[in-house]
Amino acid sequence: IDAEYMGEPKQLFGPAENIFTPLTDPSTLATEVEPILEFLRSNTCYEFLPNSSEVVVVDIDLPLQHAFSVAQDNNVTFATLWDSVEKQLCGMLTITDYVKILLHFRDDPEGMHQFWNLPIRTWYKQRASSHSRALVSCDVEDSLLDALTLLHEHKIHRLPTLHSGNLLHVVCRPSVLGYFAANYPLDSNLFSYAISDLQIGTYGRIFSGTPDTPLHVLLDTCMSKCVAALPITDKDGILVDVFSRYDVMNIAAEAEHNLDSTIADVNATYPTTQVYTCSKKDTLRSVLQHLMRTGAQRLVCVNDERRVEGIVSVGDVFNFFIKYATSSPMSPPVAAAADKGAELSAAAQAAASTAQLAGV
């Protein structure tokens, strides 16, 4: 969040102008989505794995402060937790945990300082007492549709991919989008419909903030409304920026954990970010291409006057696809051939030896 909120707002970047095809018969959508579902069913998480990747694993007895430092040093907003007592992966430490801790100790700086030095296990037990959840993961032979369905059903943003108990990769929707766009042609009629006609995204009343909104209010809104980002508008309702809870590690560091600071207070030193937008009448094809080109996780939908009308995320796109899936249970794992099994064993060994283990 970087703009000097005086004068003109920063430049907004939207997809290239495109002409949409009117959706005259919504009853055909299920048929038009089916080839996409078949692609997602027939491609496994193994085929989706990159040639090389980095996973961050931290011991659950590592101090919280060190764990978040490891994640920040590796430019990630999560880490997979390892329980050295049980000898197994046991959960995820995410930006949501970081935000909850900041909000809980907002009025108790000394308590926050002491809490940061406690082991993750202390926080993990406290978190489990209020919301118990085992580690949600998928097998490397599960389909991409299975993985996306798990992300949707459990309302999570990342999914560890395992083979024989070893962590190989962490699936997230933006990386699946990259694989999908690189391997699936975007030339059918479905991709020429306007996103508003397909009802992809959230429209109507959009929660937002202003440059003078305190950080704790923005974070509390994100948590209570279950949203990952909030548009920032000026006094006239014009979009000038976007606040994402994924930025909070850097923002909180700049503000020295003073959540009474506003975005305007910290924007002078925080790295520049762009505001990526779209229109309700942009085609699904142009929105996907814009998300891919920019690497953004969401686009703010604005009108010609730059007033906010909605938000479209990568998750919204995939959730649109999977709601047409006919099979509710996960498909059974695909039987692996002998040579593929050997490849997976080698990959698992390589992941175990090259994963960044902090305190393990």
Side-chain angles (χ1 to χ4, degrees), residues 21-42:
T21 301
L23 176 59
T24 57
D25 186 5
S27 65
T28 65
L29 288 178
T31 301
E32 296 185 67
V33 171
E34 183 55 35
I36 297 173
L37 295 177
E38 183 55 35
F39 173 86
L40 296 174
R41 289 190 192 100
S42 60

mmCIF file of all heavy atoms in Angstrom, residues 21-42:
data_model
loop_
_atom_site.group_PDB
_atom_site.id
_atom_site.type_symbol
_atom_site.label_atom_id
_atom_site.label_comp_id
_atom_site.label_asym_id
_atom_site.label_seq_id
_atom_site.Cartn_x
_atom_site.Cartn_y
_atom_site.Cartn_z
ATOM 1 N N THR A 21 -19.707 -11.853 -25.675
ATOM 2 C CA THR A 21 -20.838 -12.476 -26.329
ATOM 3 C C THR A 21 -21.979 -12.576 -25.328
ATOM 4 O O THR A 21 -21.784 -13.102 -24.233
ATOM 5 C CB THR A 21 -20.465 -13.891 -26.827
ATOM 6 O OG1 THR A 21 -19.384 -13.802 -27.739
ATOM 7 C CG2 THR A 21 -21.664 -14.561 -27.482
ATOM 8 N N PRO A 22 -23.171 -12.076 -25.677
ATOM 9 C CA PRO A 22 -24.295 -12.159 -24.725
ATOM 10 C C PRO A 22 -24.628 -13.607 -24.396
ATOM 11 O O PRO A 22 -24.630 -14.477 -25.273
ATOM 12 C CB PRO A 22 -25.451 -11.484 -25.482
ATOM 13 C CG PRO A 22 -24.783 -10.613 -26.500
ATOM 14 C CD PRO A 22 -23.534 -11.340 -26.903
ATOM 15 N N LEU A 23 -24.889 -13.863 -23.125
ATOM 16 C CA LEU A 23 -25.292 -15.202 -22.683
ATOM 17 C C LEU A 23 -26.807 -15.277 -22.787
ATOM 18 O O LEU A 23 -27.533 -14.744 -21.950
ATOM 19 C CB LEU A 23 -24.829 -15.451 -21.251
ATOM 20 C CG LEU A 23 -25.244 -16.776 -20.611
ATOM 21 C CD1 LEU A 23 -24.718 -17.959 -21.410
ATOM 22 C CD2 LEU A 23 -24.760 -16.844 -19.168
ATOM 23 N N THR A 24 -27.294 -15.951 -23.820
ATOM 24 C CA THR A 24 -28.735 -15.987 -24.075
ATOM 25 C C THR A 24 -29.425 -17.187 -23.434
ATOM 26 O O THR A 24 -30.625 -17.157 -23.183
ATOM 27 C CB THR A 24 -29.001 -16.002 -25.586
ATOM 28 O OG1 THR A 24 -28.327 -17.131 -26.168
ATOM 29 C CG2 THR A 24 -28.483 -14.718 -26.239
ATOM 30 N N ASP A 25 -28.656 -18.247 -23.160
ATOM 31 C CA ASP A 25 -29.263 -19.461 -22.622
ATOM 32 C C ASP A 25 -28.380 -20.042 -21.521
ATOM 33 O O ASP A 25 -27.501 -20.872 -21.784
ATOM 34 C CB ASP A 25 -29.458 -20.491 -23.736
ATOM 35 C CG ASP A 25 -30.233 -21.726 -23.271
ATOM 36 O OD1 ASP A 25 -30.690 -21.720 -22.105
ATOM 37 O OD2 ASP A 25 -30.361 -22.678 -24.057
ATOM 38 N N PRO A 26 -28.573 -19.617 -20.267
ATOM 39 C CA PRO A 26 -27.743 -20.117 -19.161
ATOM 40 C C PRO A 26 -27.807 -21.625 -18.972
ATOM 41 O O PRO A 26 -26.907 -22.202 -18.356
ATOM 42 C CB PRO A 26 -28.315 -19.385 -17.945
ATOM 43 C CG PRO A 26 -28.999 -18.176 -18.494
ATOM 44 C CD PRO A 26 -29.541 -18.602 -19.824
ATOM 45 N N SER A 27 -28.855 -22.262 -19.490
ATOM 46 C CA SER A 27 -28.985 -23.716 -19.302
ATOM 47 C C SER A 27 -27.895 -24.488 -20.036
ATOM 48 O O SER A 27 -27.694 -25.680 -19.760
ATOM 49 C CB SER A 27 -30.359 -24.186 -19.775
ATOM 50 O OG SER A 27 -30.501 -24.005 -21.176
ATOM 51 N N THR A 28 -27.188 -23.841 -20.942
ATOM 52 C CA THR A 28 -26.123 -24.529 -21.693
ATOM 53 C C THR A 28 -24.793 -24.509 -20.942
ATOM 54 O O THR A 28 -23.835 -25.160 -21.377
ATOM 55 C CB THR A 28 -25.922 -23.875 -23.071
ATOM 56 O OG1 THR A 28 -25.446 -22.519 -22.893
ATOM 57 C CG2 THR A 28 -27.227 -23.836 -23.856
ATOM 58 N N LEU A 29 -24.705 -23.776 -19.846
ATOM 59 C CA LEU A 29 -23.421 -23.602 -19.172
ATOM 60 C C LEU A 29 -22.844 -24.919 -18.671
ATOM 61 O O LEU A 29 -21.633 -25.150 -18.754
ATOM 62 C CB LEU A 29 -23.555 -22.609 -18.020
ATOM 63 C CG LEU A 29 -23.732 -21.138 -18.428
ATOM 64 C CD1 LEU A 29 -23.906 -20.268 -17.185
ATOM 65 C CD2 LEU A 29 -22.539 -20.662 -19.236
ATOM 66 N N ALA A 30 -23.698 -25.784 -18.125
ATOM 67 C CA ALA A 30 -23.202 -27.057 -17.604
ATOM 68 C C ALA A 30 -22.489 -27.849 -18.690
ATOM 69 O O ALA A 30 -21.423 -28.439 -18.459
ATOM 70 C CB ALA A 30 -24.356 -27.872 -17.015
ATOM 71 N N THR A 31 -23.070 -27.841 -19.892
ATOM 72 C CA THR A 31 -22.451 -28.543 -21.019
ATOM 73 C C THR A 31 -21.147 -27.875 -21.421
ATOM 74 O O THR A 31 -20.159 -28.553 -21.753
ATOM 75 C CB THR A 31 -23.413 -28.578 -22.216
ATOM 76 O OG1 THR A 31 -24.615 -29.234 -21.823
ATOM 77 C CG2 THR A 31 -22.786 -29.303 -23.397
ATOM 78 N N GLU A 32 -21.123 -26.544 -21.395
ATOM 79 C CA GLU A 32 -19.914 -25.823 -21.802
ATOM 80 C C GLU A 32 -18.791 -25.940 -20.789
ATOM 81 O O GLU A 32 -17.613 -25.874 -21.150
ATOM 82 C CB GLU A 32 -20.255 -24.346 -22.042
ATOM 83 C CG GLU A 32 -21.231 -24.120 -23.189
ATOM 84 C CD GLU A 32 -21.461 -22.650 -23.486
ATOM 85 O OE1 GLU A 32 -20.513 -21.995 -23.939
ATOM 86 O OE2 GLU A 32 -22.581 -22.160 -23.251
ATOM 87 N N VAL A 33 -19.136 -26.138 -19.516
ATOM 88 C CA VAL A 33 -18.117 -26.267 -18.480
ATOM 89 C C VAL A 33 -17.552 -27.687 -18.415
ATOM 90 O O VAL A 33 -16.417 -27.893 -17.979
ATOM 91 C CB VAL A 33 -18.697 -25.863 -17.105
ATOM 92 C CG1 VAL A 33 -17.732 -26.198 -15.968
ATOM 93 C CG2 VAL A 33 -19.010 -24.365 -17.079
ATOM 94 N N GLU A 34 -18.298 -28.665 -18.880
ATOM 95 C CA GLU A 34 -17.906 -30.067 -18.747
ATOM 96 C C GLU A 34 -16.506 -30.366 -19.303
ATOM 97 O O GLU A 34 -15.732 -31.096 -18.655
ATOM 98 C CB GLU A 34 -18.945 -30.978 -19.408
ATOM 99 C CG GLU A 34 -18.651 -32.475 -19.259
ATOM 100 C CD GLU A 34 -18.478 -32.882 -17.798
ATOM 101 O OE1 GLU A 34 -19.160 -32.331 -16.919
ATOM 102 O OE2 GLU A 34 -17.632 -33.771 -17.549
ATOM 103 N N PRO A 35 -16.103 -29.855 -20.487
ATOM 104 C CA PRO A 35 -14.733 -30.131 -20.950
ATOM 105 C C PRO A 35 -13.660 -29.618 -19.988
ATOM 106 O O PRO A 35 -12.604 -30.228 -19.856
ATOM 107 C CB PRO A 35 -14.669 -29.401 -22.300
ATOM 108 C CG PRO A 35 -16.089 -29.320 -22.756
ATOM 109 C CD PRO A 35 -16.892 -29.135 -21.509
ATOM 110 N N ILE A 36 -13.944 -28.518 -19.316
ATOM 111 C CA ILE A 36 -12.994 -27.990 -18.337
ATOM 112 C C ILE A 36 -12.904 -28.935 -17.142
ATOM 113 O O ILE A 36 -11.811 -29.242 -16.653
ATOM 114 C CB ILE A 36 -13.419 -26.580 -17.879
ATOM 115 C CG1 ILE A 36 -13.379 -25.615 -19.064
ATOM 116 C CG2 ILE A 36 -12.538 -26.078 -16.742
ATOM 117 C CD1 ILE A 36 -13.942 -24.251 -18.762
ATOM 118 N N LEU A 37 -14.055 -29.413 -16.673
ATOM 119 C CA LEU A 37 -14.063 -30.361 -15.566
ATOM 120 C C LEU A 37 -13.333 -31.641 -15.934
ATOM 121 O O LEU A 37 -12.603 -32.218 -15.117
ATOM 122 C CB LEU A 37 -15.503 -30.678 -15.153
ATOM 123 C CG LEU A 37 -16.306 -29.517 -14.569
ATOM 124 C CD1 LEU A 37 -17.738 -29.963 -14.275
ATOM 125 C CD2 LEU A 37 -15.655 -28.972 -13.311
ATOM 126 N N GLU A 38 -13.504 -32.080 -17.171
ATOM 127 C CA GLU A 38 -12.818 -33.289 -17.618
ATOM 128 C C GLU A 38 -11.308 -33.074 -17.625
ATOM 129 O O GLU A 38 -10.536 -33.972 -17.250
ATOM 130 C CB GLU A 38 -13.302 -33.691 -19.015
ATOM 131 C CG GLU A 38 -12.694 -34.983 -19.553
ATOM 132 C CD GLU A 38 -12.893 -36.159 -18.601
ATOM 133 O OE1 GLU A 38 -13.949 -36.227 -17.931
ATOM 134 O OE2 GLU A 38 -11.976 -37.010 -18.513
ATOM 135 N N PHE A 39 -10.869 -31.891 -18.020
ATOM 136 C CA PHE A 39 -9.435 -31.556 -17.979
ATOM 137 C C PHE A 39 -8.926 -31.611 -16.546
ATOM 138 O O PHE A 39 -7.859 -32.175 -16.262
ATOM 139 C CB PHE A 39 -9.210 -30.170 -18.572
ATOM 140 C CG PHE A 39 -7.801 -29.657 -18.418
ATOM 141 C CD1 PHE A 39 -6.829 -29.977 -19.343
ATOM 142 C CD2 PHE A 39 -7.453 -28.858 -17.330
ATOM 143 C CE1 PHE A 39 -5.517 -29.514 -19.191
ATOM 144 C CE2 PHE A 39 -6.159 -28.391 -17.170
ATOM 145 C CZ PHE A 39 -5.191 -28.716 -18.105
ATOM 146 N N LEU A 40 -9.683 -31.034 -15.624
ATOM 147 C CA LEU A 40 -9.266 -31.008 -14.222
ATOM 148 C C LEU A 40 -9.313 -32.399 -13.594
ATOM 149 O O LEU A 40 -8.519 -32.715 -12.714
ATOM 150 C CB LEU A 40 -10.160 -30.041 -13.429
ATOM 151 C CG LEU A 40 -10.071 -28.563 -13.826
ATOM 152 C CD1 LEU A 40 -11.108 -27.749 -13.077
ATOM 153 C CD2 LEU A 40 -8.667 -28.018 -13.568
ATOM 154 N N ARG A 41 -10.247 -33.247 -14.065
ATOM 155 C CA ARG A 41 -10.316 -34.626 -13.561
ATOM 156 C C ARG A 41 -9.158 -35.474 -14.073
ATOM 157 O O ARG A 41 -8.635 -36.338 -13.361
ATOM 158 C CB ARG A 41 -11.624 -35.292 -13.990
ATOM 159 C CG ARG A 41 -12.883 -34.794 -13.312
ATOM 160 C CD ARG A 41 -14.061 -35.712 -13.639
ATOM 161 N NE ARG A 41 -15.333 -35.123 -13.238
ATOM 162 C CZ ARG A 41 -16.165 -34.506 -14.061
ATOM 163 N NH1 ARG A 41 -15.869 -34.422 -15.356
ATOM 164 N NH2 ARG A 41 -17.290 -33.989 -13.616
ATOM 165 N N SER A 42 -8.767 -35.255 -15.305
ATOM 166 C CA SER A 42 -7.778 -36.121 -15.955
ATOM 167 C C SER A 42 -6.340 -35.709 -15.674
ATOM 168 O O SER A 42 -5.410 -36.452 -15.997
ATOM 169 C CB SER A 42 -8.017 -36.154 -17.472
ATOM 170 O OG SER A 42 -7.897 -34.847 -18.020
#
